[in-house]
Amino acid sequence: MSRYALITGASSGIGLALAEALARRGRNLILVARQRDALESIACELTQRFSVEVLFRACDLSQPLRLSGLLHELEESALHIDLLVNNAGIGTAGAYVTQDWACERQLIELNVLALARLCHAIGTVMAGQGSGQILNVASVAGFQPGPGMSNYYASKAYVLHFSEGLREELKAYGVGVSVLCPGPTRSGFFRRANMDVNALQGSKLMMNAEEVALITVRALAKNRAIIIPGWRNRLLAFCPRLAPRWLVRRISARLNRHFGKPV
Ligand SMILES: NC(=O)c1ccc[n+]([C@@H]2O[C@H](COP(=O)([O-])OP(=O)(O)OC[C@H]3O[C@@H](n4cnc5c(N)ncnc54)[C@H](OP(=O)(O)O)[C@@H]3O)[C@@H](O)[C@H]2O)c1
């Protein structure tokens, strides 16, 4: 029976780069995102370049009913998913109470609830089979509070802590859980979040999605718990542990102060 890696948010950025890196290693894929046309052409291209089977499903994961439909379809098709990559995520920037509630709610539905639900549904099957791997995409933002992007940072703290807990729980079932915590990465993320990233443009922190994906697939092969691409990002994740929380909050607020301004 063919095995598949299911990747959410595979139509652009880190998800697309992960899809390519996994296809290069001979993995069959199921790509999920909202943009059907983009998924279709990516599936075609990856199939031709790497001779792997690439399926795709267009689904708005922030809509619980659509997600139910996707899960039902996956169950019916009995496709064997041995790697789940929960990558789809969005950001919002600016003081929380000045933001549109619908956007903040969508962030929680996608970054937190959809990820938790996919881990539950597919993780249950993997645990029953006694094998499989889950990769959840958090961020270096998950290591500290983020005034100016409070909801986003908190959603990534959830992903980080949830994944670490799940890793220990699922060890006994033969299922590996890793969490990817990228730093700033070139992708459509900032534009979608309506963020001004001029401050980051020349920054040495900024990485390419392809670099992030390469580091990630290598670390996945070693079943690493927390994957932080780049030594600068590892430092960024470690520093908040050394300072008092009041200081971490203020530094984070200062670093985020530009992002709330629309581009
Ligand atoms: N870029 C960074 O600096 C950075 C840093 C740390 C962590 N991350 C995390 O990395 C992950 C990927 O982000 P990225 O940087 O690659 O951004 P991106 O280029 O904007 O990609 C986001 C992906 O998620 C999909 N998506 C968005 N809303 C969706 C929805 N409602 N349902 C299904 N799919 C949806 C998008 O596809 P459709 O529009 O087709 O749905 C797209 O494929 C996110 O979890 C993000 O938080 C990014």
Side-chain angles (χ1 to χ4, degrees):
M1 189 196 246
S2 301
R3 289 155 189 262
Y4 296 85
L6 185 147
I7 308 174
T8 70
S11 64
S12 68
I14 297 172
L16 172 57
L18 282 170
E20 183 173 330
L22 289 168
R24 194 181 292 281
R25 281 160 182 75
R27 285 280 201 157
N28 296 319
L29 305 173
I30 306 172
L31 312 178
V32 180
R34 288 167 305 178
Q35 301 172 70
R36 177 179 295 279
D37 292 351
L39 290 178
E40 189 170 13
S41 68
I42 292 163
C44 254
E45 191 197 321
L46 295 181
T47 305
Q48 280 173 9
R49 283 173 63 199
F50 303 113
S51 305
V52 290
E53 200 179 329
V54 186
L55 311 176
F56 64 90
R57 299 286 181 270
C59 179
D60 185 340
L61 298 169
S62 70
Q63 303 280 332
L65 283 177
R66 303 247 166 95
L67 177 52
S68 298
L70 174 71
L71 290 173
H72 182 70
E73 200 193 324
L74 289 173
E75 200 182 326
E76 291 286 293
S77 64
L79 293 167
H80 185 142
I81 297 166
D82 65 346
L83 172 63
L84 165 65
V85 181
N86 275 307
N87 161 77
I90 51 170
T92 54
Y96 182 67
V97 295
T98 65
Q99 302 299 304
D100 183 10
W101 166 241
C103 296
E104 299 298 332
R105 185 196 164 119
Q106 191 187 21
L107 185 155
I108 298 169
E109 290 279 2
L110 181 65
N111 296 14
V112 177
L113 289 171
L115 175 141
R117 198 162 168 205
L118 281 158
C119 282
H120 190 266
I122 297 175
T124 303
V125 178
M126 287 176 172
Q129 290 164 343
S131 66
Q133 215 172 5
I134 297 174
L135 172 70
N136 290 331
V137 181
S139 165
V140 287
F143 291 91
Q144 70 252 293
M149 293 184 78
S150 298
N151 197 20
Y152 177 72
Y153 275 54
S155 75
K156 294 302 179 181
Y158 171 86
V159 176
L160 174 60
H161 286 234
F162 173 64
S163 306
E164 285 193 76
L166 204 59
R167 179 180 174 90
E168 296 307 311
E169 290 176 14
L170 289 182
K171 242 180 212 167
Y173 297 89
V175 179
V177 181
S178 304
V179 58
L180 169 63
C181 300
T185 307
R186 284 180 196 88
S187 75
F189 176 86
F190 302 99
R191 183 183 41 77
R192 285 174 199 258
N194 206 20
M195 288 166 69
D196 181 353
V197 281
N198 287 333
L200 274 177
Q201 280 316 338
S203 164
K204 292 199 166 115
L205 280 175
M206 197 60 118
M207 291 177 78
N208 290 324
E210 292 71 22
E211 280 178 272
V212 170
L214 188 64
I215 292 168
T216 304
V217 293
R218 285 183 183 154
L220 261 187
K222 294 177 189 157
N223 190 28
R224 293 272 191 254
I226 303 178
I227 306 164
I228 307 175
W231 67 266
R232 290 184 179 87
N233 288 323
R234 285 197 286 281
L235 199 64
L236 210 61
F238 181 70
C239 283
R241 287 200 233 158
L242 304 175
R245 286 186 78 87
W246 66 264
L247 183 58
V248 173
R249 288 195 296 274
R250 288 199 194 159
I251 293 173
S252 184
R254 197 168 166 71
L255 292 174
N256 286 348
R257 71 192 186 282
H258 299 298
F259 291 153
K261 294 176 191 157
V263 187

